[in-house]
Amino acid sequence: MTAEPVTTPQPSTPAQAPPTVRASLSPSRAADFKTCPLLYRFRSIDRLPERTTMEQARGTLVHAVLERLFDLPAQGRTPAAAGDLVAPQWDRLVTEQPELAGVFDGAEPADPVEFLRSAAGLLEGYFAVEDPTRLEPAERESLISAVVDDELLIRGYLDRLDVAPDGALRVVDYKTGGAPREAFEARALFQLKFYALVLWRTRGVVPRVLRLLYLRDAEVLDYTPDADELVRFERTVVALWRAIEQATARQDFRPRPSKLCDWCSHQALCPTFGGTPPPFPVAAASADPLRDSRSVPVVPGADE
């Protein structure tokens, strides 16, 4: 798919939202609440810090390289060129986000050289499933947003949007984790449907393809939504937000144990594991409802 760049302006801050809007929701936080209401509370209301894992840092780096790869002329987008971007992009990321350097300070010391080598290996997986010399993305790492139900601003950051000459849209999301497992695949598709809904509401076009690229295993998962499905999905998103509002008013966010608990950073505070959540923040009820916990975008790869 090739196209001229899309320049449709999108709201970049809640202040630009229509006056009727009183709440904001990102796909990551919506998925948190679906997965476990208490996890949503820890991240969005308590705003507890979470240490960046090696996998998340690697995902951030790979996303950065793939974004910069398309700055090169088409014929220059080779595996070697992508490999040459790894080290300088890591240096840039650590300069901009110094906390990323902390991934090497864990209980089991990591080798920075091996870390960069592993990122380059994931890029090999990318070239196994796509030929970037034949692509001219319309948008990369772009913020998109739409208002649903007159009151809720939904927004998120696309890894990549391709637009065909006939106007067809393809939403592409890079996943640096392993082959899709049922729980993670459902979460990933939820995220892409979120983007599809925003694009449909703002541009009047239902994306033809929602594409997940699993780089570690060089696998592609394509999904084709339709308008009826997006109408149902919009109802789901609005219902989720109303449930979040009710839980906030009642200060009642209960844990929902699952296999995903193995990756949770907050087990010590979770009743499922014998912990006790901190007191509910007094300021939560009066906080700016347009500011969800993504006051800045989640680093790419952080939700994998």
Side-chain angles (χ1 to χ4, degrees):
M1 287 178 137
T2 60
E4 294 300 314
V6 172
T7 57
T8 304
Q10 297 292 333
S12 59
T13 66
Q16 295 175 274
T20 58
V21 170
R22 63 185 184 87
S24 176
L25 190 64
S26 68
S28 297
R29 298 295 76 88
D32 284 345
F33 190 81
K34 275 173 56 71
T35 300
C36 174
L38 186 58
L39 176 63
Y40 173 91
R41 182 199 145 170
F42 285 155
R43 285 178 167 171
S44 295
I45 297 178
D46 297 294
R47 307 195 182 207
L48 301 180
E50 295 185 6
R51 182 183 179 89
T52 302
T53 68
M54 187 69 67
E55 290 74 20
Q56 290 168 348
R58 187 182 296 112
T60 299
L61 173 56
V62 170
H63 278 75
V65 170
L66 290 175
E67 181 182 5
R68 293 300 189 276
L69 182 67
F70 287 98
D71 288 337
L72 301 175
Q75 296 308 311
R77 299 168 194 161
T78 64
D84 289 342
L85 288 170
V86 171
Q89 283 303 305
W90 179 245
D91 290 342
R92 177 184 67 82
L93 288 168
V94 171
T95 299
E96 295 175 357
Q97 306 171 47
E99 66 276 10
L100 287 175
V103 297
F104 301 117
D105 300 332
E108 297 182 8
D111 180 358
V113 174
E114 178 55 35
F115 170 76
L116 296 179
R117 186 179 297 119
S118 66
L122 289 172
L123 292 167
E124 292 176 6
Y126 169 73
F127 283 93
V129 295
E130 273 197 338
D131 179 0
T133 66
R134 302 177 62 185
L135 297 168
E136 289 299 337
E139 299 182 25
R140 291 169 280 151
E141 296 296 335
S142 64
L143 171 66
I144 60 173
S145 62
V147 176
V148 297
D149 198 42
D150 295 326
E151 297 182 329
L152 177 63
L153 180 73
I154 59 175
R155 56 187 176 182
Y157 285 80
L158 296 172
D159 282 354
R160 199 180 84 211
L161 180 66
D162 300 333
V163 183
D166 65 358
L169 305 181
R170 179 171 64 197
V171 179
V172 180
D173 197 68
Y174 308 122
K175 296 298 181 187
T176 54
R181 287 168 286 180
E182 184 176 353
F184 292 104
E185 181 178 317
R187 184 180 176 107
L189 283 176
F190 178 87
Q191 178 184 10
L192 290 187
K193 289 178 184 179
F194 207 99
Y195 299 150
L197 174 59
V198 172
L199 292 169
W200 181 43
R201 287 305 187 199
T202 55
R203 307 186 189 191
V205 179
V206 175
R208 182 177 295 172
V209 178
L210 307 179
R211 172 166 291 179
L212 292 162
L213 299 183
Y214 288 91
L215 308 187
R216 180 172 298 172
D217 299 295
E219 293 188 13
V220 179
L221 174 63
D222 281 348
Y223 185 83
T224 301
D226 59 41
D228 289 341
E229 179 180 14
L230 293 183
V231 168
R232 294 191 298 271
F233 184 76
E234 182 173 359
R235 294 193 191 109
T236 297
V237 171
V238 172
L240 267 174
W241 178 250
R242 289 175 179 162
I244 290 170
E245 285 190 313
Q246 290 178 0
T248 303
R250 297 171 181 169
Q251 301 185 10
D252 184 12
F253 290 87
R254 301 182 186 184
R256 184 174 296 148
S258 71
K259 293 181 180 179
L260 298 178
C261 292
D262 293 342
W263 289 271
C264 184
S265 300
H266 308 296
Q267 290 185 8
L269 297 172
C270 178
T272 300
F273 297 90
T276 301
F280 200 83
V282 175
S286 60
D288 180 359
L290 290 182
R291 181 179 176 236
D292 67 16
S293 63
R294 285 189 62 178
S295 55
V296 295
V298 170
V299 291
D303 292 318
E304 298 179 10

